[in-house]
Each structure stands twice: as C-alpha cells, then as structure tokens.
Amino acid sequence: MITLSGERIMTSHRQSWFEGWRLFAVLGLILVPLCVWIAGMRQFEVDGVRLVIRFTARTSLLFFCLAFGAAALARLWPNAWTRWQRRNRRYLGATFAASHGIHAVAIACFAAMDPAAYAAATSAASYIFGGIGYSFIVAMAATSFDRTAQAIGPRAWRLLHLSGGYYLLFQFTVSFGKRIPDMPLYALFLIPLLAVFTLRMISMASKAAPRAAPAG
Ligand code: HEM
C-alpha cells in the first residue's frame, strides 16, 4: 500500500519541471533553440549545419551516459542526485533520442546542401553502423512508454535496451575515437564512455558477488 507521505513525494516529483516527461520537455525546449542558434551563427549555411551535427553528437553523448550509467551509479553511490538520475533515466534516454533525431535532421540537410562534402564525410561503414545505431535508438525510444514496454514484455525489453545500450556505447567510442589521430583532444570524449562502462562492470560484479560466495 502506498503511504500518504509516499504519495505526496511521488506527486511532488510528478509536478516538478525536473522530473518525468516535463524534464524531457524542458531539455528539448533548450536543445532545439540552441541548435537553431548554432546554425544561425553561420547564416544557416552548410558550415552551420555541420556545427549542429557535431553539437548534437556531444549532447547525445551527455544524455546517453546519464541514462546508461544511472542504475550503476545509484547502486554504487546512493544519494539524492544519483537517485534523481535513476528515477529519470527513461526521460534522459528520451532526450538522447531527441538529440540524435536532430543529428539525423542536420545530416539530411548537410546531404542536400553539399552532396560532395557529405559524400567525403561519410562511407559505407557510416551507413551500416550508423543505420544499426538509429534502428536501436528508434526501437528503444518506441519501447520507453509503459504500454509499449508491457507489450514486448520485460525479457525482450531488457535484451533490447541492454544490447542497444552497449552497441551505442561502442558506436560513440568508434565515432569519437576515429577522430583522435587528427584531433587528439577528442580522447576526452572517451572518458565518460569508459566511466559508464567501468561503473556498469563494477556494479554487475558487486551484484554477482554474494551469489558466487559458497553456501553455508
Ligand atoms: C546513418 C547514420 C549516420 C550518419 C550518416 C552520420 C553522419 C555523420 C557525419 C557526416 C558526421 C560529421 C559531421 C562533420 O564533420 O561536419 C558525424 C559526426 C558524428 N556522429 Fe554521426 N552519423 C550517423 C549516425 C550516428 C550515430 C548512431 C552516432 C552515435 C551513436 C553518431 C555519432 C557521431 C559522432 C560522435 C560524431 C562526431 C562529432 C564531432 O566531431 O564532435 N552518428 N556523423
């Protein structure tokens, strides 16, 4: 049974602008004008569109890491911030999907505005691996609602979100990593990815440890 005080806590979470779908709306309302402003800095020419592609790749990295690292972080360091992060991981994940939706729109604009530069910036591999990445993003976003999550069942949901999460972690690593030889500072983008992976491994090991101990 939900206690009166418990109910009050849930209600205050629901009413806050920093919780649930409202959080997603707030972040989206920040992200979209920022992208328009960035494109506008270059008079909405192809350079501005390319800036938006790079900007959204980085905002996507931020929200992806916040969502995919949330459960492990809350388990290893339970406090008010990590509990907020875990409680809102679905909405942080949805913000990642929205950010990458803008990445896709900017990519389409780039392809239409400067086909030659676009062809030089992409390859068959970027279509194959990027296409798999987007398929996961769409499937994960579509199953981020109670009804759709229930429709596929907890086992399929877990399999999809776990394999999709690790695939996207891999894709971020490759996409940022391949730019390191030309721009060594890109190595900094690998730090949050490595941190999320390490946290998840430590959390998994700490969960498995009591079971591995001999009985009796
Ligand atoms: C078919 C799908 C995709 C295509 C065609 C594509 C295309 C591009 C292009 C052309 C750029 C370079 C922009 C420029 O130099 O001006 C770029 C950058 C990037 N993309 Fe995508 N992308 C795709 C999917 C993805 C996915 C799924 C991810 C991550 C999960 C991703 C992560 C990145 C990253 C990290 C960068 C580097 C941004 C930077 O330089 O800071 N992309 N993408």
Side-chain angles (χ1 to χ4, degrees), residues 50-51 53-55 57-58 96 100 103 107 110 118 121-122 126-131 133-134 137 168 171-172 175-176 179 183 186 189:
R50 294 185 75 159
L51 280 181
I53 295 177
R54 289 196 288 271
F55 175 71
R58 295 162 198 198
F96 155 66
H100 235 57
H103 189 79
I107 287 166
F110 180 22
Y118 175 74
T122 51
S126 47
Y127 284 104
I128 295 167
F129 293 111
Y134 271 112
I137 294 169
L168 291 165
Q171 172 136 28
F172 271 118
S175 296
F176 281 119
R179 290 169 164 87
M183 294 168 283
Y186 265 62
F189 291 120

Side-chain angles (χ1 to χ4, degrees), residues 39-205:
M41 287 196 315
R42 297 283 192 279
Q43 291 74 44
F44 298 97
E45 297 285 345
V46 71
D47 278 354
V49 167
R50 294 185 75 159
L51 280 181
V52 172
I53 295 177
R54 289 196 288 271
F55 175 71
T56 50
R58 295 162 198 198
T59 51
S60 295
L61 172 74
L62 170 70
F63 292 113
F64 171 78
C65 288
L66 286 174
F68 200 49
L73 206 58
R75 196 184 142 78
L76 296 170
W77 287 286
N79 60 44
W81 160 258
T82 56
R83 274 192 287 272
W84 172 89
Q85 194 181 335
R86 180 157 76 178
R87 202 164 57 240
N88 286 289
R89 66 185 160 159
R90 175 191 291 197
Y91 314 103
L92 294 166
T95 308
F96 155 66
S99 166
H100 235 57
I102 305 174
H103 189 79
V105 170
I107 287 166
C109 293
F110 180 22
M113 290 165 82
D114 192 344
Y118 175 74
T122 51
S123 63
S126 47
Y127 284 104
I128 295 167
F129 293 111
I132 297 172
Y134 271 112
S135 307
F136 270 123
I137 294 169
V138 169
M140 289 160 83
T143 52
S144 287
F145 303 91
D146 291 341
R147 219 177 256 190
T148 46
Q150 271 164 21
I152 63 165
R155 274 178 73 109
W157 187 93
R158 198 174 148 68
L159 187 68
L160 171 65
H161 285 251
L162 205 62
S163 51
Y166 279 111
Y167 179 81
L168 291 165
L169 188 104
F170 158 78
Q171 172 136 28
F172 271 118
T173 306
V174 172
S175 296
F176 281 119
K178 72 181 179 189
R179 290 169 164 87
I180 294 175
D182 291 331
M183 294 168 283
L185 275 180
Y186 265 62
L188 293 176
F189 291 120
L190 301 190
I191 295 173
L193 293 164
L194 190 65
V196 167
F197 182 77
T198 309
L199 280 171
R200 289 190 66 104
M201 290 302 119
I202 296 172
S203 170
M204 209 160 70

